[in-house]
Amino acid sequence: EIVLTQSPGTLSLSPGERATLSCRASQSVSSSYLAWYQQKPGQAPRLLIYGASSRATGIPDRFSGSGSGTDFTLTISRLEPEDFAVYYCQQYGSSPGLTFGGGTKVEIK
Amino acid sequence: QVQLVESGGGVVQPGRSLRLSCAASGFTFSSYGMHWVRQAPGKGLEWVAVIWYDGSNKYYADSVKGRFTISRDNSKNTLYLQMNSLRAEDTAVYYCGGIVVVPAWGQGTLVTVSS
């Protein structure tokens, strides 16, 4: 089973700042089958990035994903007020199951 | 567009059973493996189970093995999760989903196990 470790656990930033979130896998993620989600309280996770770097439909271009193998990054170029939330990474290339990281909370400083 | 709608959640006593359903539309349901994932209150996301596109293979997380059963009816475009011997720690929002070219998930249904 691939274990995903997200860091930091909490990121305290101000609107307009750049956010860099890390997701490290215990083994190489097959074909970059790595996704990022945003979740706000009381809501379902929202897909932001799939295939490590492809933005999902309707996602603003301030969100970008990068990485391969075992190291992946989600970058929010300039934080908007609505971006303060919890972010999860997920790998979906290692059958049969899926695994999620523990999450990074981006909070207002 | 891909749409997944879960139903069947509610409040149930420990030891009892509950069956969740997930109605799929907007894609060829019978061509894709499908998953259940859950999220306990205030916690992260946990994978629960997967079923192959044709129902030929099923896999479970250790935490639910022997108690939960995943199944599907491709003629009805519906995924199921039969949950038996429920415990307090099964309290969570349950999401159905799959990798339909890209990951796609429903809005979830809340299961509360409490006496």
Side-chain angles (χ1 to χ4, degrees), chain A:
Chain A
E1 175 191 333
I2 297 179
V3 176
L4 300 178
T5 302
Q6 291 189 242
S7 62
T10 301
L11 200 51
S12 297
L13 295 168
S14 300
E17 290 194 292
R18 181 184 188 90
T20 303
L21 287 66
S22 173
C23 176
R24 180 160 290 176
S26 59
Q27 321 171 26
S28 183
V29 175
S30 174
S31 301
S32 293
Y33 287 145
L34 193 285
W36 290 93
Y37 297 85
Q38 176 193 69
Q39 189 176 36
K40 297 179 181 179
Q43 297 184 15
R46 173 194 183 197
L47 179 67
L48 299 175
I49 301 288
Y50 63 94
S53 60
S54 297
R55 268 188 301 277
T57 302
I59 300 303
D61 61 7
R62 65 179 180 273
F63 291 91
S64 63
S66 62
S68 64
T70 61
D71 289 296
F72 298 88
T73 300
L74 175 70
T75 301
I76 311 172
S77 59
R78 288 179 55 85
L79 282 165
E80 297 288 341
E82 62 267 28
D83 298 337
F84 291 92
V86 178
Y87 293 83
Y88 294 96
C89 59
Q90 174 208 34
Q91 72 79 24
Y92 53 98
S94 176
S95 184
L98 309 169
T99 50
F100 294 87
T104 291
K105 182 179 181 180
V106 178
E107 66 176 22
I108 299 176
K109 185 174 181 181

Side-chain angles (χ1 to χ4, degrees), chain A residues 35 37 39 43-45 47 49-50 88 90 92 95-102, chain B residues 35 37 39 43-47 50 52 59 95 99 101-107:
Chain A
Y37 297 85
Q39 189 176 36
Q43 297 184 15
L47 179 67
I49 301 288
Y50 63 94
Y88 294 96
Q90 174 208 34
Y92 53 98
S95 184
L98 309 169
T99 50
F100 294 87
Chain B
H35 300 259
V37 165
Q39 187 172 35
K43 302 296 184 182
L45 295 156
E46 178 190 18
W47 174 77
V50 61
W52 257 223
Y59 297 92
Y95 300 98
I99 312 306
V101 182
V102 303
W105 302 94
Q107 290 301 302

